[in-house]
Amino acid sequence: MPTPPLKLDSPPEAGSSQIVNASYLTLSLPHPPQLFYRHGWQSWSLAAWTEPTPLPVQRPAILHPLQTDPHYANDKSPHSSWVGAVEFDEDDILLLGSLGLDAHVWLNENQLEGDALRPKGVSKGQHEADECEWFIARGNEKSVFAKYAAELGKRFGKRSSKPLPRVWCSWYSLYTAIDESILHRIFDDLNDLPFDVLQVDDGWQLSIGDWEANEKFPSGMNALAEKIKSTGRKAGLWLAPLIAVESSRLFQEHPDWFLRSENGKFVSAGFNWGEQLYALDTSHPAVLEWLSALIKQVRAWGFDYLKLDFLYAGALPGKRFMDLPREEAYRGALKIMRDAIGADAYFLACGAPIIPSLGLCNALRVGPDVSDKWEDPRDATLLYNFTTPGTRNAIRTSINRLWLQPLVAVDPDVAYFIEQENALSLEQKQLLQDLALICNFKATSDLPQWMTSAERESLRGFLQAAPQVKQLSRAKFQLDDRIVDFSSALALPNPPRGLTKLPATFLGWLGNRPFALNMFHRLNESAFRKKRGRAEIESSK
Ligand code: 9PG
C-alpha cells in the first residue's frame, strides 16, 4: 500500500529549512510563483529558470532517451528531476529537493509536488512506499541551493578533484575524423602550452560497444597513451561503456546483456552515429564483470584520465536482471567502474544522471555540448530542444548547475580561442572562456595549426589565470575587477506559435525518422573529414 501523501500547507519561514520523510508530498505555495527552476535529469538535459508554465515537449521524440528522462519527457506539468524551486520574489526562493536517488518534482496547481515512487514499469513493487528524504528550504537562491548541496554531500559524498586538470580534447575540432598521425602532430605542436591532459575523444574505437583501436590507430592504444605521456602530460580517453550500437560485436554476441522492457523488446537508448543505441543492463553480473575488465584494460593501456560518456543509459527505465530501481542499478555500475579506475586516476562523467553520479566521479559535465555556433534556430525555435550542441545551450544549463560546485568539479565543456573555423563572435567566445574560469575547469579543442600567435597567447593566459570569482546575481559574475553578464545565454526563445507550428511539426516528424538522422550523420561525417583535410593542409604550411 502506498503511504498517504504528506501535505504541507505552509511553506517554511524565510531563512529556514527542514528535512521530511515521504514517498509523495505536496507543498502548498502561499501565492503563485514568478519563475520555476527545472533541473534536467542528466548532463545534457535543460536546467533553467523559466515561466511557471508547461514548456512544449522537446523534439524529436526518438532522442528523448538520449536527451531527457524519457519517462517524464511528455509530462504536462512543469517537471524537474530531484530538485525544483520557485521564485516568489528576488531573494525569496522555495526549494524542494530529494535526498534520494530516484525522485521528481512538479509544479502543479499552485503547489510543489515531490514524488519518490518508482516510475511505472520499473519493478513489480512499483507502488510500494518508497520513502525518501526531502529537503525543503526558503530563502535567497544562493543559501537554499548551498544548504541542499551540503545535505547531498552528506549522503553521496564528495570527491576531491584537485588539482583541476587543464585539458586539450580532440572532439570539438576534428570530431570523429581523428587518426594517429594528425593527433601526434597536434600533441607535438601544443608543446609549450600548459595543458595537464591530452584527451582523445570519439573516433578511435572499432565501434560503439567494441572498445578496441580501429584501423586509424595502427600502433594501438598503448602506443597512443605512450606518445601523450612522452610530452609530459596525462593521457585521456573517451569511451561510452554503457551503450552499444546495433551493429557492434558486443550487441550481436550478448543480446542478453541489454536492457529490455516488460514486453521483452530492447529499450532504446536513443539514436546517434546513424544507428540505434541500446543500453547495457547495469544490474547484470556478467555486464558488471565486463565493465570492470574494460576499464582495467583502458587503465592498463596507460590512460589515467577517463571521460566516460552516454552514462544515462545505465539508468534508463526497463526490466532489469535484478529487481533494482534504475538509478540504484546505475550507481552500482558506476561504483564498479570507479573501483576499476582507481583512486589515482581522474574520472569525468558525461551524459550522466546528475545526483546518482555524485561522490563517484571527479568531474561531471553539467550542460550540453558547445559548438562553434551560438544557437541552431531549427533546434531552439522549431524543435524546442535545448540539449543539442550549441554554445548558448551549454552556457545556459551550466550556469544553472553551478550550485553543484561544492560536490564535484563542474565541467562546462570546452572554450574556443580561434577565429578560423569558428562562427562565434569574440563576445560569445569570451563568455565561454569566462564560464570555464568560473568553473575552474579549463579545456579546449582548438588546433595549434589554426591559432594565430595572438590566439595562442590568449589561450596560454587563460590556462594560467586564476581570477577571484564572485556571483553578483543569477546572470552576473565578477572576475577580479571585470563584470561578466551571461543574460544573453539564459533566456529561452518563445515556443513555436501560429504559422511556425507547421514547419515545427514537420521537422519533429522528420527528426523522428531513422533515415533522416542517418542522413544528417553522413553529412556530418563528411564535413568532419573535410575539416580534417583543411587541418592537414594548414599543418604542412
Ligand atoms: C562524442 C561526443 C563528445 C561530447 C559528448 C557527447 O544527440 N545528442 O544530444 C548528443 C549530445 C552530446 C553528444 C552527442 C550527442 O556528445 O558530450 O563531448 O564526447 O559525445 O561522440
Side-chain angles (χ1 to χ4, degrees):
M1 279 295 287
T3 44
L6 178 67
K7 204 163 168 11
L8 299 175
D9 286 326
S10 51
E13 301 278 303
S16 73
S17 62
Q18 66 183 107
I19 292 175
V20 298
N21 273 296
S23 59
Y24 179 77
L25 70 81
T26 59
L27 193 55
S28 303
L29 306 181
H31 46 92
Q34 297 181 358
L35 295 172
F36 179 54
Y37 174 79
R38 26 185 120 217
H39 180 263
W41 187 58
Q42 54 116 319
S43 307
W44 306 323
S45 325
L46 174 70
W49 285 94
T50 67
E51 298 293 311
T53 46
L55 297 181
V57 174
Q58 72 175 63
R59 284 185 276 201
I62 197 174
L63 295 182
H64 283 170
L66 177 86
Q67 299 184 325
T68 64
D69 183 335
H71 192 82
Y72 300 97
N74 296 309
D75 274 15
K76 295 285 175 286
S77 308
H79 162 263
S80 193
S81 295
W82 299 288
V83 54
V86 286
E87 178 178 88
F88 298 116
D89 253 316
E90 213 190 312
D91 286 340
D92 187 9
I93 308 284
L94 176 64
L95 175 146
L96 173 62
S98 155
L99 300 171
L101 281 180
D102 175 6
H104 297 263
V105 173
W106 290 264
L107 176 64
N108 217 350
E109 291 178 14
N110 222 22
Q111 57 187 23
L112 276 178
E113 295 179 4
D115 193 351
L117 288 178
R118 297 173 190 178
K120 286 189 200 91
V122 169
S123 89
K124 282 183 225 124
Q126 58 187 266
H127 281 289
E128 280 164 12
D130 214 18
E131 278 203 349
C132 92
E133 289 178 298
W134 291 94
F135 177 76
I136 306 166
R138 190 164 176 192
N140 68 47
E141 184 171 344
K142 203 172 170 179
S143 77
V144 295
F145 277 94
K147 286 182 194 165
Y148 177 52
E151 294 299 330
L152 287 172
K154 285 185 207 160
R155 284 150 188 89
F156 297 110
K158 303 178 206 176
R159 185 163 278 270
S160 161
S161 59
K162 297 236 158 36
L164 287 158
R166 294 165 295 180
V167 185
W168 185 87
C169 154
S170 61
W171 183 246
Y172 301 91
S173 54
L174 296 169
Y175 298 91
T176 46
I178 49 171
D179 57 60
E180 199 169 284
S181 90
I182 198 157
L183 286 182
H184 279 216
R185 190 135 15 109
I186 293 165
F187 297 155
D188 288 336
D189 291 350
L190 291 168
N191 51 16
D192 63 313
L193 287 166
F195 286 106
D196 305 305
V197 178
L198 305 181
Q199 183 240 310
V200 178
D201 215 281
D202 185 0
W204 62 271
Q205 71 283 355
L206 268 183
S207 177
I208 302 297
D210 303 334
W211 303 103
E212 290 162 46
N214 60 29
E215 74 292 345
K216 296 186 293 169
F217 292 83
S219 316
M221 298 312 285
N222 238 316
L224 188 61
E226 271 311 310
K227 169 68 196 174
I228 296 176
K229 289 193 283 187
S230 76
T231 71
R233 340 283 181 132
K234 283 190 177 195
L237 192 66
W238 171 96
L239 59 157
L242 301 182
I243 52 167
V245 290
E246 207 163 6
S247 64
S248 65
R249 223 174 48 214
L250 186 74
F251 183 76
Q252 297 300 325
E253 287 177 6
H254 299 285
D256 53 317
W257 287 6
F258 287 82
L259 188 65
R260 296 173 194 246
S261 58
E262 289 285 348
N263 64 19
K265 279 198 188 148
F266 288 113
V267 167
S268 168
F271 202 93
N272 203 24
W273 300 280
E275 280 199 68
Q276 177 62 51
L277 309 183
Y278 293 118
L280 281 166
D281 176 347
T282 39
S283 76
H284 197 300
V287 169
L288 297 175
E289 217 170 286
W290 177 85
L291 280 173
S292 175
L294 169 66
I295 301 295
K296 285 180 182 156
Q297 171 69 76
V298 172
R299 294 283 288 118
W301 284 335
F303 293 93
D304 32 28
Y305 175 101
L306 270 54
K307 174 178 174 185
L308 303 187
D309 204 355
F310 290 76
L311 293 180
Y312 66 87
L316 288 173
K319 187 175 183 315
R320 292 189 156 69
F321 183 85
M322 308 275 276
D323 189 17
L324 292 175
R326 55 193 178 121
E327 273 110 343
E328 203 175 308
Y330 166 76
R331 195 163 165 88
L334 209 64
K335 276 203 182 103
I336 282 171
M337 292 195 282
R338 176 76 247 188
D339 287 345
I341 291 170
D344 48 340
Y346 202 90
F347 168 19
L348 163 63
C350 188
I354 300 294
I355 303 299
S357 303
L358 295 177
L360 296 174
C361 52
N362 302 90
L364 182 58
R365 250 291 275 291
V366 289
D369 289 16
V370 300
S371 83
D372 55 9
K373 294 186 191 64
W374 181 240
E375 181 169 77
D376 183 335
R378 176 199 68 193
D379 294 350
T381 315
L382 296 177
L383 299 174
Y384 221 64
N385 184 329
F386 306 104
T387 44
T388 53
T391 289
R392 191 179 188 203
N393 288 345
I395 295 178
R396 181 190 298 112
T397 288
S398 300
I399 287 278
N400 283 303
R401 291 236 182 84
L402 290 177
W403 60 270
L404 287 161
Q405 270 182 310
L407 299 171
V408 65
V410 297
D411 167 14
D413 211 4
V414 306
Y416 295 100
F417 297 82
I418 51 171
E419 209 180 315
Q420 194 166 339
E421 304 274 338
N422 195 306
L424 293 172
S425 70
L426 274 179
E427 291 74 23
Q428 291 163 346
K429 277 182 270 194
Q430 186 66 49
L431 285 180
L432 266 186
Q433 294 166 24
D434 288 335
L435 178 59
L437 293 174
I438 289 167
C439 298
N440 196 15
F441 193 100
K442 299 172 185 167
T444 189
S445 290
D446 285 355
L447 293 185
Q449 56 265 51
W450 287 342
M451 284 177 214
T452 63
S453 51
E455 287 162 356
R456 195 176 172 102
E457 287 323 300
S458 120
L459 169 58
R460 188 192 312 280
F462 164 82
L463 293 171
Q464 287 165 345
Q468 279 284 343
V469 176
K470 192 171 165 211
Q471 183 157 16
L472 305 175
S473 67
R474 206 165 275 158
K476 278 196 191 140
F477 291 73
Q478 188 170 343
L479 275 66
D480 286 339
D481 45 16
R482 249 174 355 104
I483 306 287
V484 184
D485 186 349
F486 293 97
S487 308
S488 60
L490 296 185
L492 291 179
N494 288 326
R497 261 194 216 114
L499 276 183
T500 51
K501 273 195 167 161
L502 229 64
T505 308
F506 173 69
L507 258 181
W509 173 86
L510 187 69
N512 247 347
R513 311 287 115 190
F515 82 85
L517 288 166
N518 197 295
M519 191 186 68
F520 278 124
H521 169 71
R522 280 161 199 272
L523 288 173
N524 277 340
E525 288 283 310
S526 126
F528 298 160
R529 280 193 297 271
K530 284 191 187 135
K531 231 176 174 192
R532 192 212 174 282
R534 294 196 295 277
E536 187 86 63
I537 293 164
E538 280 296 322
S539 51
S540 55
K541 266 187 196 166

